[in-house]
């Protein structure tokens, strides 16, 4: 779906061949933020494909309880026959439009030494495009996606008699292939959203970088700046950086415990979602 995954894989292979060993890649976090944040390595078995708990720092989750996960597809042949359709049919190629919808729901409990909360999350993705079919061993099926819309939401309910107000998390991304200005423009899904509780708001968005580090501390450049991590901000100040590739949460040291806990819950939900993380 997103071609920058292939570019990242190519860069990973190149770095491994250069160093003659298997390396773990991480995004290059600015030194200024590093000095003010704690690095929390995340232990997660497999992004989006497991029910096993997630743990990092003092935070740990229960096993992930997967709910319904269904996918529906609808195909419609073009009622209006164009010149392009007539040419395709001379080569025994049939073209039809498709609309695919997928939804996934899951939940878990997250705890630290002082508090606990139930997290209920849901993903929703809609894809539109064109499918080409031909009864041939060389070309049997080709999908050309034109539009993708994705949303992810979660409710974080405190398990406390004194703190009843929940945190609400919502994030959205979309890409319209028909609006590309360049032929080889990267098919990016730029995600952004917010985590709110009353008047308290923490914004989240993907951040692009062309610098990655190995676990040995060596920095490498990749051909394109890619959206490889998430940045969380309170007003104009960065309070957290989530690195799914390196499986690290960088958490601002002076942040209050309640916000740290909410960010930890969001981090766990992001790494255990299934529709998007199946690409990771």
């Amino acid at each position: 779906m997103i071609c920058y995954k292939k570019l990242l894989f190519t860069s990973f292979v190149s770095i491994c061949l250069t160093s003659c060993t298997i390396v773990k890649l991480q995004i290059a976090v600015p030194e200024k933020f590093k000095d003010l944040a704690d690095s929390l390595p995340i232990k997660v078995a497999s992004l989006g494909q497991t029910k096993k708990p997630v743990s990092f720092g003092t935070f740990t989750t229960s096993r992930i309880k997967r709910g319904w996960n269904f996918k529906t597809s609808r195909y419609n042949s073009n009622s209006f026959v164009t010149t392009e359709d007539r040419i395709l049919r001379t080569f025994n190629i049939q073209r039809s439009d498709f609309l695919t919808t997928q939804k996934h729901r899951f939940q878990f409990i997250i705890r630290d030494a002082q508090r606990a909360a139930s997290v209920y999350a849901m993903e929703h993705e809609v894809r539109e495009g064109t499918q080409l079919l031909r009864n041939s061993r060389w070309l049997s099926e080709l999908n050309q996606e034109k539009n993708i819309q994705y949303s992810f939401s979660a409710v974080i309910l405190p398990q406390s008699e004194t703190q009843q107000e929940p945190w609400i998390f919502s994030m959205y991304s979309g890409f319209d292939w028909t609006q590309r200005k360049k032929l080889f423009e990267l098919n990016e899904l730029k995600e952004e959203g917010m985590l709110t509780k009353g008047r308290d708001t923490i914004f989240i968005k993907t951040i692009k970088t062309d610098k990655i580090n190995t676990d040995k501390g060596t920095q490498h450049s990749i051909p394109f700046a890619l959206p490889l991590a998430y940045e969380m901000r309170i007003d104009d100040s960065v309070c957290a950086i989530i690195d799914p590739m390196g499986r690290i949460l960088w958490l601002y040291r002076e942040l209050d415990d309640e916000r740290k806990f909410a960010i930890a819950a969001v981090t766990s939900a992001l790494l255990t979602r299934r529709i998007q993380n199946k690409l990771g």
Side-chain angles (χ1 to χ4, degrees):
M1 178 181 110
I2 307 175
C3 67
Y4 63 77
K5 294 288 182 177
K6 298 179 182 178
L7 291 173
L8 182 59
F9 177 75
T10 302
S11 301
F12 173 76
V13 172
S14 175
I15 293 171
C16 289
L17 291 175
T18 302
S19 59
C20 300
T21 184
I22 299 298
V23 297
K24 182 179 179 181
L25 302 183
Q26 308 167 0
I27 68 164
V29 176
E31 292 296 329
K32 185 177 180 180
F33 184 71
K34 270 187 177 182
D35 295 338
L36 302 174
D38 293 323
S39 172
L40 306 180
I42 302 171
K43 296 180 181 179
V44 54
S46 177
L47 299 185
Q49 302 302 315
T50 183
K51 296 182 179 180
K52 294 183 179 180
V54 180
S55 63
F56 48 99
T58 61
F59 308 104
T60 184
T61 75
S62 63
R63 285 178 60 85
I64 310 302
K65 184 178 180 181
R66 302 286 179 184
W68 41 253
N69 178 26
F70 62 85
K71 183 177 182 180
T72 59
S73 298
R74 187 177 69 222
Y75 296 86
N76 294 318
S77 299
N78 296 321
S79 57
F80 179 73
V81 179
T82 64
T83 302
E84 183 180 356
D85 290 325
R86 293 190 181 95
I87 295 174
L88 289 173
R89 289 178 182 181
T90 61
F91 293 93
N92 197 27
I93 298 176
Q94 300 296 322
R95 182 171 67 171
S96 61
D97 295 326
F98 68 84
L99 176 66
T100 300
T101 301
Q102 185 173 2
K103 294 182 180 181
H104 173 231
R105 185 176 65 183
F106 62 97
Q107 66 186 73
F108 58 88
I109 297 173
I110 185 169
R111 296 183 176 88
D112 67 0
Q114 299 177 337
R115 50 180 58 81
S118 298
V119 180
Y120 302 91
M122 186 176 73
E123 298 178 89
H124 183 201
E125 182 184 68
V126 178
R127 296 166 174 254
E128 295 179 273
T130 301
Q131 183 183 71
L132 302 178
L133 292 175
R134 184 185 182 190
N135 187 18
S136 168
R137 63 175 181 171
W138 303 110
L139 175 63
S140 59
E141 180 179 321
L142 178 63
N143 290 331
Q144 180 184 10
E145 291 174 331
K146 298 179 180 178
N147 183 31
I148 293 180
Q149 304 296 326
Y150 173 83
S151 64
F152 180 54
S153 59
V155 178
I156 305 167
L157 295 175
Q159 294 184 348
S160 169
E161 295 181 357
T162 58
Q163 296 181 356
Q164 295 293 330
E165 188 175 0
W167 286 88
I168 308 296
F169 177 71
S170 59
M171 189 165 64
Y172 173 82
S173 62
F175 192 92
D176 187 349
W177 267 252
T178 62
Q179 300 301 314
R180 285 185 298 179
K181 298 180 180 179
K182 299 178 182 179
L183 180 60
F184 296 104
E185 183 179 351
L186 292 179
N187 300 337
E188 299 174 6
L189 286 180
K190 299 178 182 179
E191 297 177 285
E192 57 184 9
M194 63 181 65
L195 173 65
T196 61
K197 177 183 176 183
R199 295 183 178 180
D200 200 349
T201 301
I202 303 175
F203 296 96
I204 183 172
K205 68 175 183 177
T206 51
I207 52 176
K208 297 175 64 174
T209 180
D210 61 355
K211 305 294 183 184
I212 53 178
N213 292 338
T214 68
D215 52 356
K216 306 297 182 182
T218 306
Q219 187 172 106
H220 297 267
S221 297
I222 54 179
F224 303 94
L226 304 177
L228 300 177
Y230 299 96
E231 175 187 85
M232 303 189 77
R233 285 179 174 266
I234 299 175
D235 297 326
D236 294 328
S237 301
V238 177
C239 60
I241 293 178
I242 306 170
D243 179 4
M245 177 177 62
R247 300 188 184 184
I248 296 176
L249 170 63
W250 295 88
L251 200 53
Y252 181 55
R253 195 172 295 120
E254 299 301 322
L255 199 63
D256 64 85
D257 290 341
E258 184 182 359
R259 289 173 175 173
K260 285 182 179 180
F261 186 80
I263 291 173
V266 168
T267 301
S268 301
L270 286 172
L271 295 184
T272 51
R273 57 183 177 163
R274 176 166 287 173
I275 296 177
Q276 285 288 66
N277 282 337
K278 68 184 179 183
L279 303 170

